[in-house]
Amino acid sequence: MTTPTGSGTGPTAAQRIAAGYATTSASVVLGSVVTGSGTSDAGTVDPTALVQMPLSMFNRHGLVAGATGTGKTKTLQVIAEQLSAAGVPVFLPDVKGDLTGLALPGSPNTRIEQRAAETGDDWVGTGYPVEFLTLAGQGAEVPVRATVDSFGPILLSKVLGLNETQESTLGLIFHWADARQLPLLDLKDLRAVIMYLTSDEGKSDLKELGGVSKATAGVILRNVTNLDAQGGDQFFGEPELDIADLLRQAPDGRGVITLLECAALQTKPVLFSTFLMWLLAELFEALPEVGDVDAPKLVFLFDEAHLLFADASKAFLQAVQQTVKLIRSKGVGVFFCTQMPTDVPGPVLSQLGARIQHALRAFTPEDQKALSATVKTYPFTDDYDLSTALTGLGTGEAIVTVLSERGAPTPVAWTRVRAPRSLMAPAPAELLTQAVAASALTAKYGTAVDRESAYEILAARVTTPEEAPNSVPTVPLPPTAPWTGPVSTGPAAPARVPSAPSLGADGWPTLDPGIAMTYPTLDPQPPVRTRSRSTAKTRRPAPADYPEPQPRSTISDVLESPMVTSFFRSLGTAAGGALGRSIFGTRSKPTRRRR
C-alpha cells in the first residue's frame, strides 16, 4: 500500500487530518484515517481519527465512485444505515439485488470484528425499517407507477430514445393534449392521441401545431409500441406513486429505507434511470423551500448513475443539472454512484460537495486520462500521492473529502470504511414476501386503476350515437378517371364511417377514422367488343355521374409498356432489399456526403 508523504506520518498525521472532520452536530461516520509507517508495507489505521460527514451537509450532494468490486455498494449500505438511525428517510435502488439484507441484522465474523476494531466501531448486528418497491410488472414487490403526463415529453423522450427533433414534436403533442384537457395517463392514451392527430379528423389540429409531420409521429408511435413490449404498459398508469410515501419514519423514529428492486430492470436501464430522475423532479415540485436544515428530509442514493447520462439529449442534461442545483433548498440530498467520475457531466459534478472515491483501474490510455482528471478534482494535499493512492486502495477503502460544518472542503483522507451492521447478503425470499404482504403500500398501490382519460374521451368524440350501423349513407364515387369496362348493377357496398377506438388482439387501441369510398363492382371478365367499319358506332351507356369514357389500351399493352416494366423491376428490387434488411437487422447505406 502506498504510504502518505509530506510533513508527517503515523498518528500525528492521522489526527491532523481527522481534525478537519471534527463536528459537534449529528453526523455519519464513514470510517477512520489510514496512515503509513514510513515503509512499503501495509498502512496502519488510527481508530480514533474519524472521517465523518455532518447531516447538515448531506443536502450538498455527493459522489461515490470506483471500479467494480471495490466496495461502493457496501459504502452506500453504511451511509443508508446511519441516516436511518438518525431519523432520515433514504431512497436507494437495488440494482444487483444484494441490498435487501438491510432489513436483517448482520452476523458477526472475524473480518467484521477486525474492521470494527480498526474503525473504532462498537459493531452490533442491526436490521433497519425497509420498504420494498419495484416498477409495476417487474417483480413481486409493491408495484409503483407513474402517469405519462407527469413524466412529460423530455423524460419520456429519453425512455423512447427519440432525437431532438422527435422530442420537440412529442412536446407539441403533449401541449395539444393539455390544451384540450385530454389526460395522458398511460401509453394507450398517448397512442390514441397520436393516431387521432394523424387521422382525417385530426388534420386541422395537426396543422395548427405546426412542424409536426406524419412521418415523425409515426416514429414516435412505433417507439411507444416498443416500450409497451418492454413492460411500459404496466408501469405507466395509476395509482401514481405519492412522494410523501418516501418521507416516512418508523414508529421508533428511524427513517424508512425505501428500496427499489431493479435486478429485473438490468435489461431496461433507460426506463430505470429515467424513473429515478422523475422521482427527483417530483420531489422538487412537491416539497416546500426549507433552506439549510440540521438534517435532510430525504437522501437519494442513485446507484449506476452512468445510465442516467448515457445518450441523453441536451434538454435532458439541462433538466438534471437544474434539478440537482435547486433541490438542495428543498432539503433533499442526492448521491450519485458510478464507476468513473467522468461518467457524470461536469456541470452536475460541480454541484457535488462530497467525494468518496474507491479504487480506480488504469489499464488503458482512457483509464489513465480519467485517473489524471480525477486527481485534479481533489483539494491539494501533501499527505498522499493521489495518482498512486487511487490505484492502490484496498477493498472497502476510499479517498474522501466532504464539506465541513462551515461549508469548506475537508482535508483529503485515505479512509478505511466501516462495515455495515445489517446483513451483507440478499434477504431470504420468504422474508420479502411477508414484508410486502404486511406493507400498507400494497393496499394502496397493488391494484391498477384505469379511469377516463384521453383514450375514452377520443373514443366518445369519434362515435356518433344517432347513426345506426345499417343506416350509413353511401358516399358516391368522385368523377375522376372511371373504369370504362362493364359495370355491375348490383347493390353498392355500404361506406365505412369513422369508428370508435377499440382494443385489438394485442391490447392496443385501434382507430379507423378514415372514410372509405364505395366503388362499383367490376365484372371479372368483360366481354370483348369488335367493330367493323360499316357498323355504326355503339357504346354501352356510361353511368350518369361519370364523364364520357376515353379510349384506352388493353391490359396486355399496359403491362408490356417499358415504363410499367421498369416500375415493377424497381419495386421488386426495393422490396427485396427491405426484406433482407428486416431479416438481418441491417440498415440501408446512407448517401455519402460530399466534402
Side-chain angles (χ1 to χ4, degrees):
M1 177 180 293
T2 303
T3 58
T5 63
S7 59
T9 60
T12 303
Q15 293 297 331
R16 176 172 51 79
I17 293 172
Y21 292 85
T23 177
T24 57
S25 60
S27 63
V28 169
V29 179
L30 298 174
S32 297
V33 177
V34 176
T35 61
S37 61
T39 64
S40 59
D41 57 354
T44 58
V45 184
D46 184 350
T48 64
L50 300 181
V51 176
Q52 51 193 337
M53 181 174 178
L55 289 181
S56 59
M57 290 294 108
F58 266 86
N59 66 341
R60 304 299 177 90
H61 315 316
L63 173 71
V64 179
T68 301
T70 56
K72 299 190 303 296
T73 302
K74 301 311 173 190
T75 297
L76 293 180
Q77 190 169 347
V78 169
I79 294 174
E81 289 176 353
Q82 296 190 47
L83 288 172
S84 174
V88 178
V90 179
F91 182 88
L92 176 62
D94 186 7
V95 179
K96 294 176 289 187
D98 55 354
L99 287 173
T100 54
L102 277 163
L104 297 176
S107 301
N109 56 46
T110 304
R111 296 180 61 185
I112 290 179
E113 293 172 354
Q114 180 182 358
R115 181 59 66 98
E118 292 174 341
T119 57
D121 184 17
D122 53 347
W123 190 93
V124 176
T126 308
Y128 296 85
V130 180
E131 195 75 64
F132 300 97
L133 306 182
T134 188
L135 300 191
Q138 303 298 330
E141 293 77 16
V142 178
V144 294
R145 302 172 182 84
T147 63
V148 173
D149 263 333
S150 66
F151 243 59
I154 294 179
L155 290 179
L156 189 60
S157 295
K158 178 74 161 57
V159 177
L160 295 175
L162 305 181
N163 59 33
E164 293 187 3
T165 300
Q166 295 159 354
E167 179 181 313
S168 63
T169 297
L170 185 61
L172 292 174
I173 294 174
F174 268 74
H175 172 73
W176 181 87
D178 183 61
R180 283 153 184 78
Q181 299 182 351
L182 297 175
L184 301 177
L185 303 182
D186 50 30
L187 294 182
K188 180 173 47 135
D189 294 324
L190 180 59
R191 177 170 178 138
V193 167
I194 297 175
M195 295 180 71
Y196 173 81
L197 288 174
T198 55
S199 68
D200 290 342
E201 280 77 6
K203 278 183 179 180
S204 58
D205 295 295
L206 187 66
K207 186 177 180 180
E208 290 178 5
L209 288 177
V212 177
S213 67
K214 285 191 175 182
T216 302
V219 171
I220 297 174
L221 197 59
R222 288 193 296 271
N223 289 357
V224 170
T225 303
N226 292 336
L227 180 59
D228 162 70
Q230 296 178 6
D233 60 328
Q234 299 182 60
F235 167 65
F236 286 102
E238 291 184 320
E240 187 174 76
L241 177 64
D242 185 358
I243 296 302
D245 290 327
L246 304 181
L247 308 174
R248 296 179 300 149
Q249 290 182 332
D252 59 3
R254 293 184 296 174
V256 174
I257 301 174
T258 302
L259 207 61
L260 180 68
E261 291 300 312
C262 303
L265 289 171
Q266 294 188 28
T267 57
K268 310 174 186 67
V270 177
L271 179 60
F272 148 71
S273 61
T274 311
F275 169 73
L276 298 186
M277 191 59 221
W278 172 81
L279 279 182
L280 280 181
E282 289 294 298
L283 286 168
F284 177 75
E285 292 184 7
L287 296 180
E289 294 280 343
V290 295
D292 293 328
V293 290
D294 294 335
K297 290 186 174 182
L298 175 71
V299 173
F300 198 104
L301 304 178
F302 202 140
D303 200 5
E304 301 295 338
H306 66 279
L307 299 174
L308 180 66
F309 305 106
D311 302 323
S313 67
K314 185 176 181 180
F316 181 84
L317 292 177
Q318 289 176 346
V320 174
Q321 178 185 351
Q322 191 75 357
T323 301
V324 172
K325 181 178 180 180
L326 299 179
I327 204 171
R328 178 192 68 81
S329 62
K330 307 281 188 172
V332 177
V334 181
F335 273 65
F336 294 99
C337 184
T338 186
Q339 293 190 12
M340 300 291 292
T342 52
D343 293 336
V344 181
V348 177
L349 196 62
S350 65
Q351 303 293 326
L352 311 182
R355 297 289 303 278
I356 304 173
Q357 179 66 62
H358 288 268
L360 289 175
R361 306 292 180 238
F363 299 139
T364 67
E366 290 77 11
D367 293 342
Q368 291 282 355
K369 184 177 180 180
L371 174 62
S372 177
T374 301
V375 170
K376 294 177 181 178
T377 61
Y378 277 89
F380 176 78
T381 177
D382 284 329
D383 296 305
Y384 305 102
D385 178 3
L386 291 182
S387 296
T388 306
L390 286 172
T391 57
L393 293 170
T395 302
E397 294 181 344
I399 299 296
V400 176
T401 181
V402 300
L403 295 180
S404 67
E405 285 181 312
R406 299 183 299 107
T410 58
V412 176
W414 185 327
T415 306
R416 187 159 295 175
V417 182
R418 286 185 169 183
R421 296 188 174 191
S422 57
L423 182 65
M424 290 188 285
E430 297 79 12
L431 179 125
L432 295 181
T433 302
Q434 296 173 4
V436 171
S439 173
L441 299 185
T442 299
K444 185 175 183 180
Y445 299 115
T447 304
V449 176
D450 187 12
R451 64 183 176 92
E452 184 183 60
S453 51
Y455 168 73
E456 289 78 12
I457 295 174
L458 288 175
R461 178 178 299 180
V462 299
T463 303
T464 306
E466 308 82 75
E467 293 182 354
N470 297 327
S471 61
V472 176
T474 301
V475 181
L477 181 70
T480 55
W483 169 261
T484 57
V487 179
S488 171
T489 58
R496 297 195 303 167
V497 296
S499 59
S502 61
L503 292 178
D506 59 352
W508 280 104
T510 301
L511 285 173
D512 187 13
I515 299 178
M517 299 295 186
T518 56
Y519 291 89
T521 303
L522 305 181
D523 288 340
Q525 293 182 350
V528 178
R529 293 177 294 176
T530 59
R531 297 192 185 123
S532 62
R533 294 183 179 179
S534 59
T535 306
K537 293 183 179 180
T538 59
R539 181 179 291 111
R540 186 173 180 173
D545 294 336
Y546 298 166
E548 184 75 2
Q550 301 296 326
R552 65 176 184 86
S553 58
T554 62
I555 294 179
S556 59
D557 292 337
V558 173
L559 294 178
E560 292 174 0
S561 169
M563 181 168 51
V564 174
T565 303
S566 175
F567 167 77
F568 280 110
R569 186 182 297 115
S570 301
L571 180 62
T573 302
L579 180 61
R581 288 192 295 272
S582 65
I583 295 175
F584 297 106
T586 58
R587 297 178 178 179
S588 57
K589 295 181 179 180
T591 304
R592 186 180 301 275
R593 180 179 299 177
R594 295 184 178 180
R595 297 184 182 273

